[in-house]
Amino acid sequence: MTYQNFSLSQLQAIDSAHYLHPFTDHKDLRASGARMIVRADGPFIYDSEGHALLDGMAGLWCVNVGYGRNELAEAAYEQMKELPYYNSFFRCATPTPVLLSKKLAEIAPNHINQVFYGSSGSESNDTALRLVRHYWALEGKPEKNIIISRNMAYHGSTVAATSLGGMSGMHEQLGGAVPNIKHVMMPYAYELALPGESDHDFGLRAAKAVEDAILEAGAENVAAFIGEPIMGAGGVKIPPASYWPEIQRICRKHDVLLMLDEVITGYGRTGEWFAAQSMGIEPDTITTAKALTSGYQPLSALLVGDRISKTLVEKGGEFYHGYTYSGHPVACAVALKNLEIIENEGLIERVKNDTGPYFAKMLKERISGHPLVGEVRSFGLMGAIEIVKDKATRERFQPEGSAAVAVRDHAIAQGMMMRATGDSMILSPPLIWTRETIDMAGDRIAKALDLALADLSKAK
Ligand code: PXG
């Protein structure tokens, strides 16, 4: 790469002239210029000016094994030399997706044994939507095609994934969503629980919103419910323990399929291979992407439960769906090696028994008492810090999200890369973080909160 021949301002000028970034206010970015991240190693990313940042977001919730893994580069290199590409259409296959599918069937919940590949979480959610509707058509019930989702859900950015998601701003720009998708309340107690309502009762009430939607539409018209086990982009919203088992009970009662979107939670983040295992539920589909390759290659896998795959195979007939890069041999080779690393290094057990609990303790002991912090929450190695103006009344700063952005900017200046979404500060570190890394993050976040508090107090 020859970027070293360019200064930061030159790169920024070229960036502004030619590059339309994702989820970006293009006018705003052109005023500020982009930060150039030029290399990374272990838990750190480095910008063009030589600043080292502790990456609290594992890239974008994906680099679970951390940066600088030569084995992954070598797996890609070897596969590219051997066979860079061939498709899996027209009765062909290549070995790496075949072997990866076997591995995924081994680590997935027992009733899940088949895999459909894409290159992104959005694509795999499109697949999931098409597949559950196709399933009911094959079962002779094509009218059973409504899908129930939640407000604030994020399922990706294609038209179908945006329609499945519950982000109102995204819907406004869509100019017409995929029909027959309904949204109900999210299970976020801090904002939505009634005064005096226990977490347990709130979880049951949030699940009942799903049942109410099923009954309103008529169960005979409802194909599936889709949800992230823990909402990620919506702000690491962790449902009460009562929620998911109740959702599963409701889905079974009304013969509605259960679709989990584990694009963020999959591959170890919650302390199990999949959050389905953490929550003790048996979904019919699990959408995965991101950490499947730790972000070293674009790859997604829709894990398909036996109920659906049995019908698909037994009834036959072509499923008119797939992508050029479904089962890409290089991406699958990298995924196989990545899963091997996660396994060999015991990263998931570490999250469950050591770093996950230590991370929760750090947030509670070092962050939750801060005057700007309304709530801290975490599950495994994903967490959030809720920024408020008033701890007691939970009043927010105005405009919404501005205080979290102030904290984020200070955090970055302290060498801590983290993300603000609404009034939540988000953390989703690589699973290689140790207790020492967690302590380092705690120091930097605490400092950023103090500096933001000083700014916000001055502004009052
Ligand atoms: N489902 C979930 C739960 C996700 O978090 C997708 C699907 C879509 O995946 P692709 O690979 O198509 O992006 C995601 C992606 C953020 C942020 O700001 C989160 C995602 C993507 C971009 C930004 O937190 N998640």
Side-chain angles (χ1 to χ4, degrees), residues 4 14 48 108 159 210 237 290 306 337 344 354 410 432:
Q4 287 93 342
I14 299 169
S48 56
V159 172
V210 176
K237 308 250 157 81
K290 293 190 187 275
D306 294 342
K337 184 55 79 177
N344 288 349
D354 183 36
H410 279 298
I432 57 162

Side-chain angles (χ1 to χ4, degrees), residues 66-318:
Y67 299 94
R69 294 286 192 159
N70 287 341
E71 310 99 290
L72 297 184
E74 278 153 17
Y77 177 70
E78 292 302 329
Q79 183 61 44
M80 277 190 198
K81 282 197 298 184
E82 180 97 6
L83 179 71
Y85 175 76
Y86 199 73
N87 67 67
S88 307
F89 290 52
F90 324 126
R91 297 193 182 179
C92 288
T94 69
T96 55
V98 170
L99 297 177
L100 178 60
S101 305
K102 175 170 179 285
K103 181 71 193 169
L104 291 173
E106 279 165 20
I107 62 176
N110 286 340
H111 68 290
I112 292 184
N113 289 292
Q114 304 271 337
V115 186
F116 196 109
Y117 294 103
S119 302
S120 69
S122 303
E123 283 181 7
S124 278
N125 276 331
D126 277 41
T127 301
L129 173 98
R130 300 271 313 267
L131 187 63
V132 297
R133 287 182 171 169
H134 184 56
Y135 166 82
W136 285 117
L138 286 174
E139 288 290 323
K141 297 180 180 172
E143 68 287 352
K144 212 164 154 63
N145 76 353
I146 292 175
I147 297 180
I148 297 170
S149 176
R150 282 107 41 102
N151 302 329
M152 292 297 286
Y154 187 76
H155 295 300
S157 200
T158 56
V159 172
T162 300
S163 307
L164 285 171
M167 302 279 184
S168 53
M170 290 177 74
H171 281 253
E172 278 160 27
Q173 291 180 353
L174 198 54
V178 171
N180 288 344
I181 299 173
K182 307 215 178 295
H183 297 85
V184 301
M185 73 187 282
M186 60 178 166
Y188 181 38
Y190 185 73
E191 264 179 11
L192 299 176
L194 301 170
E197 190 177 29
S198 70
D199 261 16
H200 178 85
D201 289 351
F202 171 73
L204 296 181
R205 183 161 67 84
K208 183 160 182 303
V210 176
E211 184 161 37
D212 290 347
I214 293 172
L215 293 174
E216 194 187 329
E220 67 283 7
N221 300 315
V222 180
F225 169 77
I226 185 168
E228 304 152 77
I230 294 168
M231 288 174 146
V236 185
K237 308 250 157 81
I238 304 167
S242 56
Y243 182 75
W244 279 111
E246 180 67 0
I247 290 281
Q248 173 161 286
R249 190 190 66 75
I250 289 166
C251 286
R252 287 186 176 165
K253 178 173 161 201
H254 297 288
D255 202 18
V256 164
L257 296 172
L258 178 52
M259 304 160 75
L260 272 200
D261 183 342
E262 296 224 33
V263 167
I264 283 176
T265 52
Y267 308 107
R269 185 152 296 287
T270 65
E272 301 283 351
W273 277 110
F274 299 97
Q277 293 148 335
S278 307
M279 310 291 172
I281 53 172
E282 294 185 349
D284 295 291
T285 62
I286 303 183
T287 314
T288 73
K290 293 190 187 275
L292 170 56
T293 61
S294 284
Y296 281 66
Q297 283 281 292
L299 181 67
S300 58
L302 179 71
L303 312 183
V304 180
D306 294 342
R307 177 176 178 179
I308 294 177
S309 61
K310 189 163 176 283
T311 294
L312 204 64
V313 172
E314 283 180 3
K315 306 249 174 182
E318 184 169 345

